[in-house]
Amino acid sequence: MADNDAGFEARLAEAARLVVERLERCLSEGEPLMAGVPARLRAAMRHGVLNGGKRLRPFLVMETARLCGAPEAAALDAAAALECIHSYSLVHDDLPAMDDDDLRRGQPTVHVAFDEATAILAGDALLTLAFGLVAASHDAEPQARLHLVHALSREAGAAGMVGGQLLDLEAEDETSLPEAAIARMQAMKTGALIAFACEAGPLLAGAPAEKRERFRRFGETIGLAFQLADDLLDETADAATLGKAAGKDRARGKKTLPALHGHDWTRARLDALVAEAGELLAPEGADAATLVAAARFIAERTR
Amino acid sequence: MADNDAGFEARLAEAARLVVERLERCLSEGEPLMAGVPARLRAAMRHGVLNGGKRLRPFLVMETARLCGAPEAAALDAAAALECIHSYSLVHDDLPAMDDDDLRRGQPTVHVAFDEATAILAGDALLTLAFGLVAASHDAEPQARLHLVHALSREAGAAGMVGGQLLDLEAEDETSLPEAAIARMQAMKTGALIAFACEAGPLLAGAPAEKRERFRRFGETIGLAFQLADDLLDETADAATLGKAAGKDRARGKKTLPALHGHDWTRARLDALVAEAGELLAPEGADAATLVAAARFIAERTR
């Protein structure tokens, strides 16, 4: 167990190092999609994406790709694209008209460090860049690239992440929200991109539909755990630990399951989700130990 | 001449009809990428894109595709995707933090009809949808679809439209701007998507590089004419004719070539651009008459 966890931490760190290196290249003037970009826009894009995140989603892409035998360069492109999309969504979510956050991972948010218009445009540019990176990922088969573009559009778009963000904002005005509505909102807002990350590996490897579906369900399961753990942290941690304002969700009237059911229920549910995630990867045998450790890490993280 | 113009107007109307029909389908619950989208988000996306625009960019995609022998269904998907991107850019440009416009084609802008957060998200969702539509366009060859996704990412992104918008905002703070800087900004902000529209046809048809390059330069040329005519209109027309506030560019300190050089210079430059556009399509013979008429229409339009 401890060995697996140590292995997971090393692989997470290595994936983070690789994807940051790839993102540095994506956002350099040498990248064909970035030639001639105004300096201020490129700086704002870099501020939004090169900010010391854990790079969990890129790790999931890289690790599912490794497990399925997909080309590493193609996985890295997909991981970088996904991180561009995750980062753009944070840049836009932080805007005054949205969650109005000044601080993200201990740093000023993009609209604070630059201005609102630049933050809107930097977000738009990161989102647009992501699709170009996947399309130009020459180590992946053309059909796999097209599947990735389509899946990314679905999971990041109106039926996925963007739709979930809208439901989240709408929920602030509700006095109470049915549990099913909270679950739907969170599955879209957080779960969709994590599910995509876990489906990306089998997709790039051209794995059979059963395997893709199983990896996707693994992603959905750990996505649920991720959100539960995040909401629990917001209730219990302090700003110094989180690198962002704490207790803000509750103050803002955000509806979360830990707020509804309490700490013990949440911990039990997290344990059940980790067990479920492990079962979904059982057919992969010992090779899947790192991903199972990742599920545990997600459920147990304290920051 | 008059016959060509009549032919052009009929084709523009037909392309507009077809693309609106396709967009209606894209934004219906039946579209796989839109299943489960929150009602308010779908309504805001529809408000942003189904607003009675001229659909000039879709027409250029359809007409260059026809001229090059590309499949019509694939051209229609690309046209709809491009219109989603054009529309998202208007939704974001109209935001209070950007150009702060309340009126667009005589209707309230999306953030006025809904709210700012919804307008940001509807723009994000339209941009994201566009790439999914191209990726799923089954009548086009996989390689052609990938080329389209990549070109769309480049022209709509940081090195194209989004970058041009940032330069435009930066220019408001300058007391004067070199002519080359105005030209660069406009080539990115307006020219890039029009160039993409004209390149889409040969791209979808798998035409040789020479033809693609020539069609692209045709697009760049009419893109210049489009922006000049637009700036001239802003100086001379009234709000009732434009369906939006007039004279606003000058009031806002926007730098334009008509403001710099005057009416006669602008008209002469427009004539020269129309002639240049015609020469670029001369190898296509009589078949290109509709596109040449389109160039003239763009230069001479009065609203």
Side-chain angles (χ1 to χ4, degrees):
Chain A
M1 278 302 223
D3 277 357
N4 288 344
D5 284 2
F8 157 69
E9 277 170 33
R11 288 234 173 100
L12 177 62
E14 175 64 2
R17 190 186 68 74
L18 287 170
V19 83
V20 166
E21 198 180 278
R22 182 72 186 89
L23 285 166
E24 283 276 3
R25 261 199 299 137
C26 294
L27 295 168
S28 71
E29 284 178 292
E31 160 64 41
L33 289 164
M34 295 294 288
V37 172
R40 181 179 174 81
L41 182 58
R42 199 157 66 85
M45 292 168 77
R46 292 175 61 88
H47 187 96
V49 77
L50 296 168
N51 53 7
K54 281 185 297 290
R55 316 299 182 183
L56 181 67
R57 290 161 194 78
F59 159 80
L60 292 169
V61 174
M62 304 286 291
E63 187 61 21
T64 56
R66 194 189 62 79
L67 203 55
C68 298
E72 185 180 319
L76 198 47
D77 288 337
L82 182 55
E83 197 66 0
C84 285
I85 289 197
H86 173 57
S87 301
Y88 114 76
S89 80
L90 301 181
V91 173
H92 280 189
D93 280 8
D94 288 338
L95 286 167
M98 308 267 280
D99 285 354
D100 195 13
D101 276 311
D102 292 347
L103 208 59
R104 163 80 56 192
R105 296 189 186 117
Q107 297 293 320
T109 47
V110 177
H111 68 274
V112 171
F114 294 82
D115 57 60
E116 267 187 70
T118 303
I120 295 168
L121 292 170
D124 293 344
L126 285 169
L127 172 56
T128 309
L129 176 64
F131 290 101
L133 291 175
V134 173
S137 181
H138 295 295
D139 281 316
E141 294 293 329
Q143 277 298 354
R145 281 184 258 166
L146 286 173
H147 279 147
L148 273 184
V149 169
H150 193 258
L152 203 48
S153 171
R154 188 185 60 226
E155 305 302 341
M161 186 184 68
V162 171
Q165 174 65 9
L166 185 108
L167 291 178
D168 198 19
L169 290 170
E170 280 186 344
E172 287 182 23
D173 302 329
E174 304 288 330
T175 47
S176 79
L177 204 65
E179 197 164 327
I182 300 178
R184 177 189 173 216
M185 178 260 284
Q186 294 186 339
M188 290 167 73
K189 187 180 172 181
T190 317
L193 280 204
I194 294 178
F196 171 86
C198 296
E199 203 181 352
L203 243 170
L204 281 168
E210 180 278 329
K211 191 164 181 171
R212 270 174 55 185
E213 181 53 31
R214 202 154 39 73
F215 273 66
R216 187 189 162 76
R217 279 169 53 212
F218 170 79
E220 289 169 354
T221 306
I222 63 173
L224 280 176
F226 183 90
Q227 188 63 52
L228 273 183
D230 208 55
D231 292 338
L232 195 60
L233 272 175
D234 185 78
E235 298 255 321
T236 54
D238 56 46
T241 312
L242 287 178
K244 63 181 180 182
K248 222 176 157 180
D249 291 354
R250 184 180 286 247
R252 207 179 255 155
K254 295 233 180 202
K255 310 301 177 294
T256 73
L257 294 177
L260 208 62
H261 292 298
H263 182 274
D264 291 349
W265 178 92
T266 307
R267 276 277 156 237
R269 180 85 181 105
L270 282 167
D271 289 344
L273 287 168
V274 171
E276 208 176 307
E279 277 162 35
L280 282 163
L281 293 190
E284 312 306 317
D287 265 2
T290 308
L291 282 175
V292 174
R296 208 159 37 234
F297 165 81
I298 283 170
E300 290 167 10
R301 72 207 168 91
T302 52
R303 57 180 293 168
Chain B
M1 282 299 222
D3 276 358
N4 288 346
D5 285 0
F8 157 68
E9 276 170 34
R11 288 234 173 99
L12 176 62
E14 176 65 2
R17 189 186 68 74
L18 287 170
V19 84
V20 166
E21 199 179 277
R22 183 73 188 90
L23 286 165
E24 283 276 3
R25 260 200 298 139
C26 295
L27 296 167
S28 71
E29 283 178 291
E31 160 65 40
L33 290 164
M34 295 293 288
V37 172
R40 182 179 173 83
L41 182 58
R42 199 158 65 85
M45 293 169 76
R46 292 175 60 87
H47 189 96
V49 77
L50 296 168
N51 54 8
K54 281 187 294 292
R55 314 301 182 184
L56 182 66
R57 291 161 193 78
F59 158 80
L60 291 170
V61 174
M62 303 287 290
E63 186 62 21
T64 56
R66 194 188 62 78
L67 203 54
C68 298
E72 185 179 318
L76 197 48
D77 287 338
L82 182 55
E83 197 66 1
C84 285
I85 290 197
H86 173 56
S87 300
Y88 114 76
S89 79
L90 300 181
V91 172
H92 281 189
D93 281 7
D94 288 338
L95 286 166
M98 307 267 279
D99 286 354
D100 194 14
D101 275 311
D102 293 346
L103 208 59
R104 166 79 58 190
R105 295 191 186 118
Q107 297 292 322
T109 48
V110 176
H111 68 273
V112 171
F114 294 82
D115 57 60
E116 267 187 71
T118 304
I120 294 167
L121 292 170
D124 293 345
L126 284 169
L127 171 56
T128 309
L129 176 64
F131 291 101
L133 291 175
V134 174
S137 181
H138 296 294
D139 281 315
E141 295 293 329
Q143 276 299 353
R145 280 184 258 166
L146 286 172
H147 280 146
L148 273 184
V149 169
H150 193 260
L152 203 48
S153 171
R154 188 183 63 225
E155 306 300 343
M161 186 182 71
V162 171
Q165 175 65 9
L166 185 109
L167 292 178
D168 198 19
L169 290 169
E170 281 186 344
E172 286 180 24
D173 302 329
E174 304 288 331
T175 46
S176 79
L177 205 65
E179 197 164 327
I182 301 177
R184 177 188 174 219
M185 178 260 285
Q186 294 186 339
M188 290 167 74
K189 187 180 173 181
T190 317
L193 279 204
I194 294 178
F196 171 86
C198 296
E199 203 181 353
L203 244 170
L204 281 168
E210 180 278 327
K211 190 164 181 171
R212 270 175 56 186
E213 182 52 33
R214 202 153 41 73
F215 273 66
R216 188 189 160 77
R217 280 169 53 213
F218 171 79
E220 288 170 355
T221 307
I222 64 174
L224 281 176
F226 184 90
Q227 188 63 52
L228 273 183
D230 209 54
D231 292 339
L232 194 61
L233 273 175
D234 185 78
E235 298 254 323
T236 55
D238 57 47
T241 312
L242 288 178
K244 63 180 180 184
K248 220 175 159 182
D249 290 353
R250 185 180 284 246
R252 205 180 257 153
K254 296 235 177 200
K255 311 301 177 296
T256 73
L257 295 177
L260 209 62
H261 292 299
H263 182 274
D264 290 350
W265 177 93
T266 308
R267 275 276 156 236
R269 180 85 180 105
L270 282 168
D271 288 346
L273 288 167
V274 171
E276 208 175 308
E279 277 161 34
L280 282 162
L281 293 189
E284 312 305 317
D287 264 3
T290 308
L291 282 175
V292 174
R296 209 158 39 233
F297 165 81
I298 283 170
E300 292 169 6
R301 73 208 167 91
T302 52
R303 58 178 294 165

